[in-house]
């Protein structure tokens, strides 16, 4: 998300920085910018069409059909559409059915533009893009700009890199006011921060404070925290009358200072942000203050502030504050010697209750706290069942498919808890099913429960083959140290990661061909690990006795299981430490030792 | 609620920041502290803290320092009193200094 401490534009849904009431840059409504997209003051982008209802004297276009269609849409498109998703679905059906009967191209273009906006509000970006393309051909600016807005939003949301330059150029050519805003969003998402800063500067030419605020946000995302902080302080210095005062304090403390452990500084700033008239930012400041007090281990104060936040009308702030309250209680019980089972149980139930109205962003953190609490509680519940039920509920959440990061976090936790339970109950076929599902998704994570399963003889060859897809180095390194199946060991030897290969080299079960493959890497640590194996084949001894590394040949020379021919070869080695090892090796004959001594002279 | 309290609560909504600050100080110090209504006091004081100009001289931090002493939250009290101690207002500064000494002695 580009801007934090922000609110979604009621018109186009794009996050807008600054105080409530700021004009949205996303749909080009800036009064000072050229090429205004929309003139309406109405509360959402679907009710602006009344301004467009006119018969054009220039083109002679008869707008009767489109006026009638849009008027039919009006009852469905009023109010807060995010709270009435059914209306959006009905609007979609109505528009799709009507477009097929449009009397002319212009009517169809306008209806398509409108449909693209309806899809965009449903976050159906692919369909939004497709409907917007004909919409851009409308000869009326309102519909044309609306369609461009839909297209540029879709390009960023769907990562349509091939389309980006073309549509940005087209939008520039028609003087679409939101072009630099959309460019900024796209460039930030793609971590092209310098270009994003340029776009930010161009877009906010007429609103310096908004420019500084967005600049600070982009710099923060670019990990240029010192510059970001300087920009936030420019706005904070303007005092509480500035629209950006409390937003800047909340963003600065939440994203920069608190993560850096600068709690006292944060507290001083946040305390001054509470005076804001903006209710959302006030509660946000309390919520952040609660976090600061929590980190300072001042639990009573943290609880007071989080309680303020938990009463917020903003579900995200309320949820975050409830999470803080749960964490405060966890910490209090954890640090107290007198905490009772019933207190732990009560916290466990409080978390379950909070999960019912959780903001999806916090769901993973709530589950983590739930698991930690379960560890401490009297454990009268079946945690696998509890987590399974929560998982089933959360997968139905509308954000599940949109917030991949949190969804993965939740799913991984669910897998872990369930697999622990199956392992404990020896439910191997359930485990197989679960892990096959897990291997599809968690290729980059260190799956400790899978390691535990692979250690057992019950994990079949299919699971082992599947686990070879995992890319997590810690997982592979651990697995390579104990795996027994030659085919799998051979599969692991294809890794290019040294720690995995060292683990394999040290694994007594690694077969000859795996050892040969490892030795072909010509790597000191790998050769060293191979030389330390309890048993080595004649071929491996021959290879390692010719290793380019002196310390490896020395290790071989110290062994007691070599043929005299190898001892003799090493007695004349170019490295003195190898010859010395032969001289000191009790398994070598006096002649070979003499040969080594001769070489040393 | 007395007439005075009503007036002070009304003043908390004033458009003038100085009036709000004065009302917050008076309401907490003379009325709410007396009634041990510490949590409400804190909300009222925090609500106006950001409005202080250098002219107000960190009186709100001083009040919060006093409040946290009453609430036995000494580390918090100390932090706010340290800010008040840097006040340009001689009276605020002196009072903060005294209270800081008190908190230091109490925490020994």
């Amino acid at each position: 998300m580009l801007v934090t401490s922000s609110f979604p534009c009621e018109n186009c849904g794009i996050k807008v920085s600054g105080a409530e009431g700021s004009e949205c840059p996303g749909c080009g409504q800036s009064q000072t910018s050229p090429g205004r997209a929309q003139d309406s003051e109405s509360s959402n982008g679907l009710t602006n069409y009344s301004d467009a209802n006119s018969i054009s004297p220039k083109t002679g276009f008869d707008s009767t059909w489109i006026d009638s269609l849009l008027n039919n849409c009006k009852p469905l498109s009023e109010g807060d559409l995010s709270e009435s998703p059914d209306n959006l679905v009905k609007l979609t059906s109505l528009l799709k059915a009507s477009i097929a009967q449009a009397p002319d191209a212009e009517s169809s273009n306008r209806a398509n533009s409108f449909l693209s906006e309806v899809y965009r509000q449903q976050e159906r970006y692919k369909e939004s893009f497709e409907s917007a393309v004909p919409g851009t051909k409308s000869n009326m600016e309102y519909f044309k700009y609306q369609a461009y807005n839909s297209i540029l939003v879709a390009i960023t949301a769907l990562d349509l890199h091939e389309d980006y330059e073309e549509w940005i150029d087209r939008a520039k050519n028609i003087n679409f006011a939101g072009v630099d805003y959309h460019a900024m969003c796209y460039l930030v998402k793609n971590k092209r921060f310098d270009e994003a800063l340029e776009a930010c500067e161009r877009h906010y030419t007429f609103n310096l404070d908004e420019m500084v605020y967005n600049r600070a946000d982009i710099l923060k995302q670019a990990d240029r925290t010192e510059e970001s902080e300087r920009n936030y302080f420019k706005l904070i210095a303007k005092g509480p009358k500035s629209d950006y005062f409390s937003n800047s304090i909340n963003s600065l403390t939440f994203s920069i200072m608190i993560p850096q452990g600068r709690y006292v500084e944060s507290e001083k700033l946040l305390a001054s942000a509470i005076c804001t008239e903006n209710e959302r930012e006030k509660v946000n400041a309390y919520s952040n203050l609660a976090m600061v007090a929590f980190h300072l281990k001042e639990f009573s104060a943290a609880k007071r502030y989080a309680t303020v936040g938990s009463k917020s009308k903003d579900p995200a702030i309320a949820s975050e504050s409830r999470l803080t309250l749960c964490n405060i209680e966890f910490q209090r019980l954890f640090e107290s010697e007198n905490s009772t089972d019933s207190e732990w149980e009560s916290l466990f139930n409080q978390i379950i209750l909070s999960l019912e109205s959780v903001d999806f962003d916090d769901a993973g953190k709530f589950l983590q706290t739930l698991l930690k609490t379960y560890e401490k509680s009297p454990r009268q519940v079946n945690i696998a069942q509890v987590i399974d039920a929560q998982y089933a509920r959360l997968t139905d959440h509308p954000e599940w498919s949109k917030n991949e990061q949190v969804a993965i976090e939740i799913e991984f936790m669910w897998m872990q808890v369930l697999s622990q339970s199956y392992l404990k109950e020896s439910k191997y076929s359930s485990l197989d099913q679960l892990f096959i599902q897990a291997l599809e998704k968690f290729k980059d994570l260190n799956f400790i429960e899978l390691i535990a399963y692979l250690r057992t003889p019950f994990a079949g060859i299919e699971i082992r083959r599947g686990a070879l897809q995992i890319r997590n180095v810690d997982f592979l390194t651990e697995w390579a140290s104990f795996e027994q199946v030659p085919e799998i060991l051979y599969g692991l030897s294809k890794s290019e990661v040294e720690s995995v290969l060292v683990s394999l080299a040290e694994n007594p079960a690694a077969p000859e061909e795996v050892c040969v493959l490892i030795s072909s890497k010509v790597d000191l640590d790998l050769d060293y690990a191979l030389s330390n194996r309890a048993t080595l084949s004649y071929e491996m001894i021959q290879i390692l006795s010719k290793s380019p590394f002196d310390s490896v040949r020395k290790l071989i020379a110290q062994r007691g299981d070599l043929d005299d021919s190898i001892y003799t070869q090493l007695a004349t080695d170019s490295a003195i430490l190898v010859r010395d090892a032969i001289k000191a090796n009790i398994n070598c004959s006096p002649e070979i030792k003499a040969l080594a001594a001769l070489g040393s002279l | 609620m007395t007439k005075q309290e009503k007036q002070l609560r009304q003043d908390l909504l004033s458009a003038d920041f100085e009036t709000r600050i004065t009302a917050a100080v008076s309401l907490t110090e003379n009325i709410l502290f007396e009634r041990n209504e510490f949590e409400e006091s804190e909300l009222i004081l925090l609500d106006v803290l950001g409005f202080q100009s250098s002219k107000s001289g960190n009186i709100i931090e001083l009040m919060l320092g006093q409040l946290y002493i009453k609430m036995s939250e000494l580390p918090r009290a100390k932090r706010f009193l340290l800010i008040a101690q840097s006040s340009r207002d001689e009276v605020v500064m002196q009072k903060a200094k005294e209270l800081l000494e008190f908190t230091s002695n109490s925490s020994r």
Side-chain angles (χ1 to χ4, degrees), chain A residues 336-596:
Chain A
S336 161
E337 288 173 2
N338 306 320
S339 49
T340 63
D341 282 356
S342 83
E343 282 179 305
W344 281 112
E345 216 171 314
S346 154
L347 174 59
F348 189 87
N349 293 331
Q350 187 188 335
I351 300 168
I352 297 274
L353 199 67
S354 300
L355 272 162
E356 281 175 20
S357 52
V358 72
D359 179 71
F360 191 76
D361 280 358
D362 299 325
K365 288 176 191 154
F366 264 110
L367 288 179
Q368 267 171 4
T369 310
L370 185 75
L371 291 176
K372 280 194 303 180
T373 306
Y374 170 74
E375 291 295 317
K376 299 281 172 192
S377 62
R379 302 187 187 205
Q380 284 164 350
V381 292
N382 180 335
I383 189 69
Q385 272 178 12
V386 172
I387 296 290
D388 201 27
Q390 292 296 337
Y391 171 75
R393 213 174 48 77
L394 290 165
T395 50
D396 283 341
H397 196 286
E399 284 292 307
W400 181 263
S401 53
K402 293 175 200 160
N403 195 334
E404 199 186 2
Q405 201 184 337
V406 175
I408 284 181
E409 189 187 356
I410 293 166
E411 189 149 24
F412 191 60
M413 249 184 284
W414 171 74
M415 293 266 181
Q416 283 179 306
V417 172
L418 238 64
S419 54
Q420 278 165 12
S421 157
Y422 291 160
L423 270 172
K424 213 166 144 188
E425 295 167 24
S426 307
K427 288 183 177 170
Y428 299 119
S429 73
S430 303
L431 264 179
D432 280 348
Q433 274 184 344
L434 188 70
F435 284 134
I436 285 168
Q437 192 183 337
L439 290 169
E440 291 288 310
K441 293 183 179 176
F442 304 117
K443 294 186 171 61
D444 292 313
L445 297 174
N446 187 5
F447 213 147
I448 294 164
E449 290 72 21
L450 180 54
I451 281 286
Y453 187 42
L454 292 170
R455 281 186 189 278
T456 72
F458 307 109
I461 190 71
E462 289 305 323
I463 283 287
R464 289 175 197 276
R465 282 177 186 150
L468 284 171
Q469 302 167 58
I470 290 180
R471 294 181 287 254
N472 184 287
V473 172
D474 292 335
F475 177 91
L476 293 173
T477 304
E478 170 109 34
W479 186 21
S481 71
F482 65 79
E483 179 56 58
Q484 300 280 318
V485 180
E487 175 197 329
I488 303 300
L489 287 162
Y490 188 71
L492 285 165
S493 72
K494 288 179 183 161
S495 169
E496 293 296 321
V497 180
E498 191 187 59
S499 65
V500 177
L501 296 174
V502 167
S503 245
L504 266 182
E506 288 169 347
N507 182 346
E512 176 80 5
E513 58 180 333
V514 166
C515 294
V516 171
L517 204 68
I518 294 171
S519 69
S520 70
K521 306 277 181 195
V522 193
D523 177 296
L524 171 60
D525 291 336
L526 296 181
D527 278 5
Y528 201 85
L530 286 168
S531 305
N532 267 323
R533 287 172 69 87
T535 53
L536 281 172
S537 68
Y538 181 72
E539 193 192 347
M540 278 310 299
I541 285 171
Q542 277 197 318
I543 292 170
L544 293 169
S545 68
K546 287 169 189 157
S547 163
F549 307 108
D550 295 351
S551 55
V552 171
R553 297 198 307 280
K554 179 191 165 189
L555 265 183
I556 295 296
Q558 286 171 329
R559 293 178 71 99
D561 57 351
L562 309 184
D563 272 8
D564 276 356
S565 62
I566 303 286
Y567 286 133
T568 307
Q569 173 202 318
L570 292 169
T572 56
D573 195 280
S574 59
I576 191 163
L577 77 165
V578 178
R579 299 197 301 272
D580 284 351
I582 292 290
K583 278 196 292 177
N585 190 334
I586 54 167
N587 299 296
C588 292
S589 64
E591 292 76 13
I592 292 173
K593 285 183 181 181
L595 189 61

